[in-house]
Amino acid sequence: MEQNIEKKKRIFSGMQPSGELTLGNYLGALKNWVGLQDDYECIYAIMNMHAITVRQDPAELRKRSMEVLMQYIACGVDPEKSVLFFQSHVPAHAELAWILSCNTQMGELSRMTQFKDKSQKHADNINAGLFTYPVLMAADILLYQADLVPVGNDQLQHIELTRDVANRFNFHYGETFTVPEPYIGKAGARVMSLQSPENKMSKSDPNPNGYIWILDSEDVIIKKFKRAVTDSDTEIRPGADKPGVTNLLTIYAAVTGKTVEEAAAEFAGQGYGTFKMAVGEAVAAELAPVRKRFEELSKDKAYVEEIYQKGAEIAGYLAAKTLRKVYKKVGFVAR
Ligand code: TYM
């Protein structure tokens, strides 16, 4: 695997274990991760170091981190094809983050919308890590010389910053990092809340009816879609004036592989009730095997442990190689 992984183009991505994974995480990122595995060398991590930029219960964080790893696998990330590991198991992430933070401007970080949102939401804990969060994310990506980063729309600004930092470093110190491109799927790059479709579907939503957890049962999924907010009109079409209906059409398109226009044509003339039921059923059918596989994995701790240990070994090897190069470039004395 170590030799193999150095031939094809490289992908890096990850998720924070800061809550339950939602249909937004699945359609915006995970489903694409799975589809890219055959054509790229993929490295997917659980970003537990990013998660502590907001307060976490330690026992919960540990448990959720394991569950996120199992959800990656349950969704179809194949440990035989992709490298899977916990961010905290590879110390090079923190080490490169320091060097990159000396090459990132305060002004650049102040412009990050995620920082602005999160510092509003967590006004009692606006810590330095929340501010430098995108530098750690740049380190995650640049350590593996990733060509592509499959993410949802909300991460584009962070990837743009990663590209700026990589270009700047390469300019000052000579060619060091691959400058990565974002990879955004055709549909599902921004899944909205089922209850307030002007907001992103989020694992930190206090209203569980707003999001679908990827491990929700079939009944719960269908119930949540039945309750989904639409509008007082009856027409099933996408449009800025119809955020709820547009979101449901986007979800249906992302799940079935159709375009939003095809989805709209399929439901033309039907009532909202039938439409919401059909979307709910499609999502429930997509997620049923995920839940089953997750349950099986939960009973096989040894298998899961083997995966993340082997993953940390390979990731650590690749990361150390980049870090050595960087240390040399910046003028640190060799050990
Ligand atoms: P996170 O944990 O918030 O989300 C994980 C992935 O899910 C996508 N996503 C969505 N896509 C569509 N609709 C939604 N409603 C939705 N909600 C979430 C996100 O875009 C993301 O792709 N900073 C990252 C984690 C990270 C990372 C990295 C990602 C840390 N280092 C390096 C890529 C590469 C984050 O907070 O994602």
Side-chain angles (χ1 to χ4, degrees):
M1 198 169 200
E2 280 166 45
Q3 270 146 16
N4 233 351
I5 197 152
E6 298 196 275
K7 280 183 204 143
K8 288 187 193 168
K9 282 208 169 190
R10 182 84 50 84
I11 278 187
F12 181 91
S13 199
M15 301 199 178
Q16 296 190 69
S18 50
E20 317 294 6
L21 296 191
T22 69
L23 185 64
N25 298 125
Y26 179 75
L27 295 178
L30 254 172
K31 197 171 159 68
N32 296 327
W33 295 6
V34 173
L36 293 162
Q37 289 181 111
D38 290 325
D39 298 324
Y40 294 87
E41 292 301 346
C42 300
I43 305 173
Y44 298 127
I46 292 94
M47 315 322 285
N48 53 357
M49 291 164 68
H50 278 99
I52 61 162
T53 52
V54 302
R55 285 250 186 275
Q56 302 287 343
D57 174 80
E60 265 293 303
L61 177 64
R62 197 170 291 118
K63 178 167 163 270
R64 237 187 285 112
S65 300
M66 288 294 290
E67 286 172 357
V68 168
L69 171 61
M70 293 191 287
Q71 286 171 66
Y72 285 1
I73 304 168
C75 285
V77 176
D78 181 350
E80 295 295 322
K81 294 181 187 162
S82 300
V83 176
L84 293 165
F85 72 102
F86 293 111
Q87 186 184 26
S88 61
H89 286 180
V90 179
H93 289 250
E95 295 174 270
L96 182 61
W98 171 252
I99 299 192
L100 297 182
S101 71
C102 300
N103 288 276
T104 308
Q105 301 302 305
M106 299 285 284
E108 289 179 300
L109 294 174
S110 322
R111 285 195 287 276
M112 296 292 116
T113 51
Q114 184 171 302
F115 171 69
K116 290 184 208 164
D117 288 353
K118 285 204 177 168
S119 41
Q120 251 175 19
K121 261 192 215 145
H122 306 277
D124 58 334
N125 182 25
I126 307 177
N127 60 79
L130 195 61
F131 189 66
T132 57
Y133 176 116
V135 181
L136 179 59
M137 179 158 163
D140 301 333
I141 298 167
L142 300 180
L143 262 184
Y144 300 98
Q145 307 287 359
D147 299 282
L148 270 192
V149 187
V151 284
N153 244 328
D154 61 330
Q155 295 302 315
L156 280 179
Q157 199 186 26
H158 289 156
I159 297 185
E160 207 40 58
L161 179 79
T162 302
R163 290 171 54 83
D164 290 345
V165 172
N167 278 318
R168 185 174 309 139
F169 193 97
N170 288 346
F171 176 78
H172 286 294
Y173 295 103
E175 220 34 59
T176 309
F177 296 120
T178 303
V179 181
E181 300 275 347
Y183 176 97
I184 304 278
K186 280 187 222 72
R190 193 167 171 82
V191 178
M192 309 309 278
S193 158
L194 299 182
Q195 290 299 314
S196 46
E198 55 291 337
N199 298 323
K200 187 180 80 166
M201 183 181 282
S202 162
K203 48 197 168 202
S204 54
D205 191 334
N207 180 358
N209 283 325
Y211 63 85
I212 303 290
W213 177 29
I214 63 175
L215 298 177
D216 272 341
S217 71
E218 196 169 345
D219 289 354
V220 170
I221 294 174
I222 291 177
K223 219 177 277 164
K224 287 183 181 175
F225 274 100
K226 275 191 186 159
R227 289 192 189 134
V229 167
T230 45
D231 51 42
S232 54
D233 184 14
T234 52
E235 213 185 337
I236 301 177
R237 61 162 173 87
D241 56 330
K242 297 176 74 74
V245 171
T246 305
N247 188 36
L248 295 176
L249 283 169
T250 309
I251 292 172
Y252 187 77
V255 169
T256 57
K258 295 177 182 164
T259 64
V260 172
E261 291 68 30
E262 283 166 352
E266 193 176 324
F267 293 110
Q270 297 190 27
Y272 281 166
T274 320
F275 169 50
K276 290 200 273 188
M277 188 71 190
V279 181
E281 279 172 354
V283 172
E286 171 95 0
L287 295 179
V290 172
R291 204 174 53 252
K292 185 163 172 282
R293 180 90 183 105
F294 180 84
E295 276 160 21
E296 286 162 12
L297 282 167
S298 310
K299 294 181 202 125
D300 201 348
K301 290 271 147 49
Y303 170 70
V304 177
E305 200 176 295
E306 199 185 308
I307 289 166
Y308 70 73
Q309 282 176 352
K310 188 170 130 211
E313 212 175 290
I314 300 172
Y317 164 81
L318 296 169
K321 211 163 119 179
T322 301
L323 196 66
R324 271 198 304 277
K325 193 165 152 189
V326 170
Y327 272 25
K328 199 167 159 192
K329 296 264 184 179
V330 299
F332 290 169
V333 174
R335 290 178 66 172

